[in-house]
Amino acid sequence: MARETGYTVQSTRTGWVSFVGSGPGDPELLTVRAADLIRQADVIVTEASEHGPLVRTLLGLPEPVEGAELQGPVQGPELVDGGFGEDGQPLTRAARAKVVVKQAKRGLKVVRLMTGDPFLYASGPEEAQACAKAGIGFEIVPGVSSVAAVPAYAGIPLTTKDHREVAVVTCGTESNSRGIDWSAYADDRTLVLLSGVGLVGEIAKELIAAGRSPQTPVAMTRVGTTTEQATVTSTLEHIAADARAARMAPPAVIVVGKVVNLRETLSWFETKPLFGWRVLVPRTKEQAPALSQRLRGYGAVPEEVPTISVEPPRNPQQMDKAIRGLVEGRYEWVAFTSINAVKAVREKFDEYGLDARAFSGLKIAAVGDKTSASLLEWGLRPDLVPSGEQSAAGLLEDWPEFDELLDPINRVFLPRADIATENLVAGLVDLGWECDDVTAYRTVRAAPPPAPTRDAIKSGKFDAVVFTSSSTVRNLVGIAGKPHPSTVIAVIGPATAKTAEEHGLRVDVLSPEPSIEALTDALADFGAIRRASLVEAGQPVTKPSDRKPATRRAKAK
């Protein structure tokens, strides 16, 4: 039996602060540890406008809609703006520290999300000291620093076998800059300058006066690691004028030294085939993310505009009857012509408490690899996938004729969209089969996009638009109007190309096969060829939206 001491132990819940570096700008540079802490946080204190969207994307939370009423409990951590106060004025470092301490004293897990690295040119040290003074526990989670990341994205290594030293200088304000002894950096080691955009002319003069050659290479990269990244290369003698001509503005990282010359061969980010292209993605809400992710890999800035909403059929009785017939052995074949058709049948199976065993004895056809993959996720392996073109026409080319001796049943179950064409049904009938052509789902035109998006579509502010079906062409034109003639039109197949041309659009890119991967690869090839031709001609690399409308029209004649 435990001895009673007479003491009462009282526990008080104390908060904890994680100072987390969000990296230099590219959200994919967020560390694994940072992502885990964000998911576990009760409160996240941000400091930059991009932090809110970053957190919501990571947690899969919807964007807030201004003026919309909240429905149900608020999901995810509480976001607290550490950049500005209630009066709309920027917070000082001391004021931000008070915000962090106040949140931690609530006994919560607090993530203080900081741009770059918490302990490199940030207010992390001051805020951590405030936590220590208040008796609040904390940890430091380093982030990818702009010191190394931005030059790397510009194709500039900070050290090589011939240049093994690097120095980092925070320039700050003009008065702070004048307190730096630039003669200490007169040698040929690599210099990385932070917060030096407005002072670069004065700094260059100081370095030249200290003994550096006026011809020393210099690179200035603004908003590095993002698709708005821009780099100016020059020399100490001319960097001030060249930066002004390029309208360079903070935030930017400056590299001084011979390593800058390697950018000519090592530039990899800004030379991506679709770098900085604003690409319109007219897709269903469910299908857009995969396409957008692949476009980002090529350097594009995708903007998703829902044009189609997938809805259940108005009359579900036809689908119910078909599912019962499938279970009772009414069909010899079931043909899936889209992922949505697979999804619709699967939802019906769940509704009836059925599983994949109900397909026993049935032959299954899939129109292409994507549809086939969705069936495999369900545990079903298709018996027939087109060997050639992945379309209804390709499916018909490989479909066997009905044989009374070999086929005990002559009926095919065809779950499809309400707007599907009749070509497949007609082709199957010609082969001797009877078809139950059943509306499994409806494709409904989405609401028009916001006015700024509609204006961007019509005025040529998008560099490209990718159409993944004929319905996306019809619906986009219907809700937003025709894309501007300067916009590159990329389509997934011949049928979509025909629809685009019928709507007065010139098709620039035709995917060699009907898949998202092939479509984005084809658009990237188009971008790469276009870029190479501009470089070969000695012209600046521009985006399609930079072209004058007359250029496109002249080519169309």
Side-chain angles (χ1 to χ4, degrees):
M1 183 175 177
R3 182 169 61 89
E4 295 184 4
T5 63
Y7 293 104
T8 300
V9 178
Q10 294 183 340
S11 63
T12 58
R13 186 184 178 197
T14 58
W16 180 267
V17 178
S18 300
F19 292 95
V20 174
S22 67
D26 183 349
E28 294 189 357
L29 293 180
L30 195 71
T31 66
V32 174
R33 174 64 175 159
D36 286 342
L37 287 170
I38 289 172
R39 293 188 183 101
Q40 299 167 18
D42 299 314
V43 176
I44 299 177
V45 181
T46 64
E47 69 177 18
S49 59
E50 64 268 17
H51 283 166
L54 184 151
V55 170
R56 284 187 283 270
T57 300
L58 180 65
L59 300 181
L61 300 176
E63 289 291 327
V65 179
E66 187 176 352
E69 295 184 6
L70 293 176
Q71 300 293 330
V74 178
Q75 294 181 324
E78 179 184 350
L79 293 182
V80 176
D81 188 357
F84 296 87
E86 295 181 358
D87 58 358
Q89 296 300 311
L91 293 177
T92 63
R93 291 187 173 186
R96 270 198 297 269
K98 290 181 180 179
V99 171
V100 172
V101 170
K102 178 182 177 181
Q103 296 298 327
K105 283 184 175 180
R106 296 168 59 194
L108 304 174
K109 293 179 182 177
V110 179
V111 164
R112 169 66 172 96
L113 199 56
M114 312 186 80
T115 301
D117 182 272
F119 271 18
L120 182 63
Y121 191 55
S123 60
E126 292 93 328
E127 294 180 32
Q129 286 176 322
C131 288
K133 184 177 180 180
I136 296 169
F138 65 89
E139 64 179 318
I140 307 298
V141 181
V144 175
S145 170
S146 60
V147 168
V150 173
Y153 269 58
I156 302 171
L158 298 184
T159 60
T160 67
K161 64 179 182 178
D162 299 318
H163 305 280
R164 302 187 180 187
E165 291 187 60
V166 59
V168 181
V169 181
T170 300
C171 304
T173 63
E174 185 174 351
S175 58
N176 290 338
S177 176
R178 286 175 179 169
I180 298 171
D181 181 10
W182 293 105
S183 64
Y185 307 104
D187 50 27
D188 63 352
R189 60 181 151 163
T190 302
L191 280 183
V192 179
L193 309 179
L194 304 177
S195 297
V197 176
L199 305 169
V200 68
E202 182 178 331
I203 293 170
K205 290 178 182 178
E206 293 279 357
L207 290 172
I208 292 172
R212 286 236 182 186
S213 168
Q215 302 306 313
T216 302
V218 181
M220 181 185 292
T221 303
R222 65 176 301 273
V223 288
T225 77
T226 75
T227 49
E228 296 179 11
Q229 174 177 309
T231 302
V232 169
T233 55
S234 184
T235 62
L236 281 177
E237 184 179 17
H238 299 295
I239 184 59
D242 290 342
R244 280 195 303 272
R247 297 183 179 180
M248 299 297 282
V253 174
I254 302 168
V255 179
V256 180
K258 293 181 179 179
V259 292
V260 170
N261 290 332
L262 293 172
R263 169 177 160 79
E264 188 172 340
T265 54
L266 298 182
S267 179
W268 62 274
F269 185 55
E270 294 171 48
T271 56
K272 284 189 173 186
L274 303 178
F275 180 76
W277 282 34
R278 187 182 179 190
V279 180
L280 181 65
V281 182
R283 297 275 283 172
T284 64
K285 290 182 179 179
E286 295 80 7
Q287 295 170 323
L291 178 55
S292 294
Q293 183 65 25
R294 195 165 181 87
L295 287 167
R296 287 190 191 97
Y298 283 117
V301 184
E303 186 169 326
E304 298 169 6
V305 175
T307 58
I308 302 172
S309 177
V310 178
E311 304 288 346
R314 287 191 177 90
N315 182 5
Q317 294 179 354
Q318 188 185 25
M319 189 68 168
D320 293 338
K321 181 180 177 181
I323 296 298
R324 287 196 299 270
L326 185 150
V327 175
E328 294 168 357
R330 175 180 171 82
Y331 303 109
E332 179 75 9
W333 282 90
V334 56
F336 292 99
T337 56
S338 69
I339 295 174
N340 285 325
V342 176
K343 182 181 178 182
V345 172
R346 192 168 183 175
E347 287 175 351
K348 277 294 179 183
F349 267 49
D350 291 341
E351 183 181 326
Y352 283 109
L354 300 171
D355 57 30
R357 289 174 293 182
F359 285 93
S360 177
L362 267 171
K363 296 186 182 74
I364 301 173
V367 76
D369 294 337
K370 292 299 181 183
T371 306
S372 178
S374 68
L375 287 167
L376 288 172
E377 291 176 2
W378 197 5
L380 300 172
R381 187 177 299 277
D383 300 279
L384 175 62
V385 179
S387 57
E389 179 184 323
Q390 295 190 357
S391 64
L395 197 60
L396 280 173
E397 287 184 8
D398 292 343
W399 199 288
E401 290 188 22
F402 171 69
D403 189 315
E404 293 184 0
L405 296 177
L406 298 177
D407 300 309
I409 305 171
N410 72 336
R411 190 168 292 277
V412 178
F413 172 33
L414 190 59
R416 296 196 296 161
D418 58 330
I419 60 172
T421 62
E422 304 299 323
N423 295 346
L424 180 57
V425 175
L428 290 173
V429 170
D430 289 342
L431 291 172
W433 297 93
E434 292 185 15
C435 286
D436 280 358
D437 187 15
V438 179
T439 298
Y441 61 95
R442 293 182 298 124
T443 52
V444 181
R445 181 178 291 177
T453 303
R454 297 199 303 272
D455 176 69
I457 292 171
K458 296 175 183 177
S459 61
K461 293 177 183 176
F462 281 100
D463 297 289
V465 55
V466 287
F467 289 116
T468 55
S469 67
S470 292
S471 56
T472 57
V473 178
R474 289 190 292 266
N475 288 337
L476 180 71
V477 173
I479 65 176
K482 289 200 305 183
H484 191 273
S486 68
T487 306
V488 173
I489 306 296
V491 300
I492 202 166
T496 308
K498 181 180 179 183
T499 304
E501 290 167 350
E502 288 173 350
H503 283 76
L505 302 178
R506 169 185 158 184
V507 175
D508 299 282
V509 179
L510 177 62
S511 176
E513 59 183 70
S515 70
I516 287 173
E517 292 80 6
L519 177 59
T520 49
D521 290 349
L523 180 59
D525 289 343
F526 177 92
I529 293 170
R530 180 180 179 278
R531 177 187 176 84
S533 64
L534 289 171
V535 172
E536 186 177 352
Q539 299 177 7
V541 176
T542 58
K543 297 179 294 184
S545 58
D546 297 328
R547 291 185 293 180
K548 295 180 180 179
T551 304
R552 174 64 180 264
R553 294 194 186 101
K555 289 183 178 181
K557 290 181 180 179

